[in-house]
Amino acid sequence: MEVLIIGAGIGGLTLGLMLHRAGISCRIFEAASELKPVGVGINILPHASRELCELGLEDALAAVSVITREYCFFNRFGQFIYSEPAGRFAGYDVPQFSIHRGDLQMVLLDAFKARAGADRVVTGWRCTGVDAHTGVARFDDPASGKPLDSQSGTVVVSCEGIHSVVRKQLYPDEGPPKYSGINMWRGVTRWKPILTGASMIRIGWHRPAKLLLYPIRSAIDAEGRQLVNWVVDIETPEYAKNDWNRPGRLEDFSDVLADWHFDWLDVPEFIRSADAIFEYPMVDQDPLTRWSFERLTLLGDAAHPMYPRGANGAAQAILDARALSDALTNNRDAIAALKVYEDQRLPATRDVVLANRRAPPDAILQEVFRRTGDKPFKSIDDVISREELGALSESYKRIAGYDKERLKTR
């Protein structure tokens, strides 16, 4: 068996590592001429970090990340609402990693090259289409547009992300990603440790703004500052081009945060101190009814683009990779294996896509906003009970697949 993986992102590289572990030959084709550590921060939740730890990557990940200690929720006046432990601090058997997306990609890339061979990653090859019946993938050179040699595989897997050429081939009339009504500004800031120095912090609600922040690298300079990832969500009818690398402008959103001065964080100064700012719309696509077509299937954002909420996009791609690797290992018929994979993962990811629309992990902030009318409170206990807050948190974990009971019965 030879598996052709289209895209050397988190999903594609994780799939490559898992296939190599299973003794299945694979090659990864990437359109970029060079893989560089770009992007901003993400979290690797317990259900995904367990898969990466089982690949022997725990030490490598820990060396370039922050081990998340807790989740904390505040309103936009800086008032504390709720907190709970995360990862191993919450009793999981693996840590939760807060990490720069580029660092994660490089850990996966280095491991795959070391184990499978550097020649198994082919850069500068852009997929232009796949024949699902024969398993032949067509490519061109992104720089010149000239066609390259077609490649044949037992199975072809599109891991190209939300702009997947293969998905567009399969669903040409689907249309562009669907805008949520929320625009995002993202960045990283060098800052002294906030709260525990390993806290994932959610503040406010989309009206007027919600801020998510967490450290992704520790002690990066002599002053003991960390590299802190942040995302500002604001409801707006206008939105940026669907491009993760689009530069953002501070003046387009900073006035909404102008009075967010807390005794534990000066938000305006924190945002002004950013190394870089990017702008991106919160988008997704309606769940598909089918991913697999004979020798061709989809994985990760190519299969199920979802709102970047709850750190679950990368996690679901990693879980896809495990399921597909297992299916190909346990089924001699590759076409049947792709159907087994689809039957397992399509319903699960559909639930996450829809949950991110109606009941996201920041539903706690939404409920407090609703009950207080976006006003300061005297005591959070007068607004909502800790039991209710915990139930809102657990509800999302069950849907996303990282509640403890689900992990015990994998």
Side-chain angles (χ1 to χ4, degrees), residues 128-409:
T128 58
V130 177
D131 185 321
H133 179 65
T134 61
V136 172
R138 301 181 300 277
F139 297 89
D140 70 10
D141 179 347
S144 66
K146 294 181 179 180
L148 300 170
D149 292 339
S150 296
Q151 302 294 315
S152 180
T154 314
V155 165
V156 182
V157 187
S158 168
C159 305
E160 306 160 274
I162 195 169
H163 299 300
S164 167
V165 169
V166 173
R167 180 176 174 129
K168 290 178 182 177
Q169 171 191 319
L170 297 173
Y171 296 94
D173 300 323
E174 181 179 34
K178 293 176 171 57
Y179 180 51
S180 65
I182 296 172
N183 206 40
M184 304 183 299
W185 286 265
R186 309 177 63 116
V188 289
T189 298
R190 301 166 191 271
W191 202 258
K192 291 282 190 177
I194 304 168
L195 301 184
T196 66
S199 304
M200 174 179 275
I201 306 166
R202 293 184 173 97
I203 310 168
W205 185 239
H206 306 120
R207 299 186 298 272
K210 189 197 80 175
L211 171 63
L212 167 70
L213 60 92
Y214 52 87
I216 54 177
R217 291 179 189 154
S218 286
I220 60 173
D221 58 27
E223 299 176 38
R225 295 185 299 176
Q226 298 177 307
L227 191 66
V228 182
N229 180 79
W230 55 265
V231 186
V232 175
D233 296 348
I234 299 176
E235 287 191 352
T236 173
E238 302 293 333
Y239 63 91
K241 181 181 177 182
N242 194 16
D243 178 2
W244 279 107
N245 297 313
R246 175 186 171 91
R249 301 191 308 170
L250 181 66
E251 58 267 28
D252 287 344
F253 68 98
S254 58
D255 60 320
V256 180
L257 309 172
D259 61 349
W260 289 30
H261 302 284
F262 313 144
D263 57 4
W264 52 275
L265 177 65
D266 187 323
V267 173
E269 180 61 25
F270 172 79
I271 298 296
R272 284 195 298 269
S273 301
D275 288 2
I277 297 174
F278 303 96
E279 184 181 2
Y280 191 77
M282 185 179 289
V283 296
D284 69 1
Q285 289 281 31
D286 290 336
L288 298 174
T289 57
R290 185 178 177 186
W291 296 348
S292 300
F293 298 79
E294 297 188 85
R295 299 186 180 278
L296 173 63
T297 195
L298 307 174
L299 184 147
D301 279 352
H304 44 74
M306 59 184 63
Y307 295 160
R309 285 174 160 170
N312 227 347
Q316 295 302 322
I318 291 167
L319 297 181
D320 288 350
R322 174 60 187 267
L324 180 52
S325 175
D326 286 352
L328 290 170
T329 300
N330 297 328
N331 293 271
R332 295 179 62 86
D333 183 336
I335 295 175
L338 298 192
K339 185 65 169 62
V340 169
Y341 156 69
E342 178 187 288
D343 288 346
Q344 178 182 346
R345 292 297 299 155
L346 192 152
T349 55
R350 178 191 59 219
D351 290 348
V352 177
V353 169
L354 298 178
N356 278 341
R357 292 178 178 179
R358 68 176 184 266
D362 45 11
I364 286 173
L365 299 176
Q366 182 182 27
E367 184 61 17
V368 172
F369 178 92
R370 186 186 70 81
R371 296 190 186 191
T372 61
D374 191 32
K375 295 178 181 178
F377 49 74
K378 291 184 179 180
S379 170
I380 188 60
D381 294 332
D382 296 332
V383 176
I384 188 170
S385 69
R386 183 172 178 84
E387 288 72 24
E388 289 178 280
L389 293 168
L392 287 170
S393 176
E394 288 302 314
S395 175
Y396 182 80
K397 290 176 188 174
R398 284 193 296 274
I399 296 168
Y402 64 100
D403 57 299
K404 291 176 186 173
E405 290 305 312
R406 182 85 59 88
L407 289 184
K408 287 177 183 177
T409 58

